[in-house]
């Protein structure tokens, strides 16, 4: 398993938690932004918590995460939504913004996932909120290979490197 965060302090907490639970030897922690993921076809599941990621970050990260999944792999993305209006809606939006990711509609989240190549997008209305699940689709065009440029970063095939 791999966990990433841009906060060294959070990675220390994660490492302590993993050690306490007895699986520190089975997890790799990286100080890395989600927009800098360059792995190709190595993950079966990606947990992508929108509440901590602003929409521009998600839009940049999702294509990279699509390629990081193995064929048939899935992404689970809980989202901050807001169905309220007036003062309650404003307070909800402010609370959502304070976590870093702000408020996003289900339709916007579905569109972002589809635009990045994900397929079979499903909305789960859970007791604690809403999450979207999607699988790595089969995009048109050539599959990425080691060295393929995706915007400002080069994707590497981690199976080929140390």
């Amino acid at each position: 398993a791999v966990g990433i965060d841009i906060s060294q302090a959070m990675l220390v907490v994660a490492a302590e938690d993993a050690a306490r639970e007895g699986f520190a030897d089975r997890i790799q922690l990286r100080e890395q932004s989600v927009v800098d993921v360059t792995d190709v076809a190595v993950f079966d599941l990606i947990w992508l918590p929108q509440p901590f990621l602003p929409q521009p970050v998600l839009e940049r990260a999702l294509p990279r995460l699509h390629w990081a999944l193995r064929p048939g792999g899935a992404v689970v993305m809980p989202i901050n939504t807001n169905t309220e209006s007036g003062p309650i809606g404003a307070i909800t939006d402010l609370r959502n913004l304070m976590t870093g990711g702000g408020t996003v509609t289900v339709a916007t989240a579905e569109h972002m996932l589809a635009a990045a190549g994900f397929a079979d997008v499903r909305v789960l209305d859970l007791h604690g909120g809403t999450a979207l699940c999607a699988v790595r689709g089969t995009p048109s065009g050539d599959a990425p290979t080691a060295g393929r440029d995706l915007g400002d970063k080069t994707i590497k095939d981690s199976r080929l490197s140390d």
Side-chain angles (χ1 to χ4, degrees), residues 23 26 28 43 55 61 71 84-85 87 102 123 129-130 132 135 137 148:
F23 60 85
R26 298 186 314 216
Q28 175 189 29
F43 302 116
Q55 187 169 334
E84 301 292 335
S85 60
V123 179
T130 303
L132 284 80
V135 297
R148 177 173 182 247

Side-chain angles (χ1 to χ4, degrees), residues 1-160:
V2 175
I4 66 169
D5 204 299
I6 59 172
S7 167
Q8 183 60 41
M10 292 311 302
L11 291 169
V12 168
V13 171
E16 291 169 353
D17 289 349
R20 183 179 59 253
E21 298 301 325
F23 60 85
D25 60 332
R26 298 186 314 216
I27 189 168
Q28 175 189 29
L29 298 172
R30 300 180 193 167
E31 186 173 357
Q32 181 180 32
S33 172
V34 70
V35 299
D36 294 329
V37 170
T38 57
D39 303 279
V40 175
V42 295
F43 302 116
D44 295 311
L45 179 68
I46 293 175
W47 172 258
L48 184 64
Q50 175 276 325
F52 305 110
L53 301 167
Q55 187 169 334
V57 171
L58 279 173
E59 290 170 344
R60 285 183 57 208
L62 282 167
R64 296 169 179 282
L65 298 176
H66 178 263
W67 289 116
L69 284 169
R70 290 185 177 115
V75 62
V76 177
M77 185 171 76
I79 63 172
N80 276 340
T81 59
N82 184 2
T83 58
E84 301 292 335
S85 60
I88 299 297
I91 291 168
T92 300
D93 282 341
L94 178 60
R95 184 198 68 216
N96 291 349
L97 186 60
M98 291 173 65
T99 63
T103 299
V104 66
T105 66
V106 169
T108 297
E110 287 175 312
H111 175 75
M112 286 190 297
L113 287 165
F118 290 94
D120 196 21
V121 179
R122 297 177 187 223
V123 179
L124 305 173
D125 289 315
L126 306 169
H127 176 68
T130 303
L132 284 80
C133 297
V135 297
R136 178 180 172 192
T138 305
S140 60
D142 295 330
T145 57
R148 177 173 182 247
D149 186 33
L150 209 111
D152 61 341
K153 298 288 181 184
T154 300
I155 290 181
K156 67 179 181 185
D157 186 332
S158 62
R159 297 170 297 177
L160 302 175

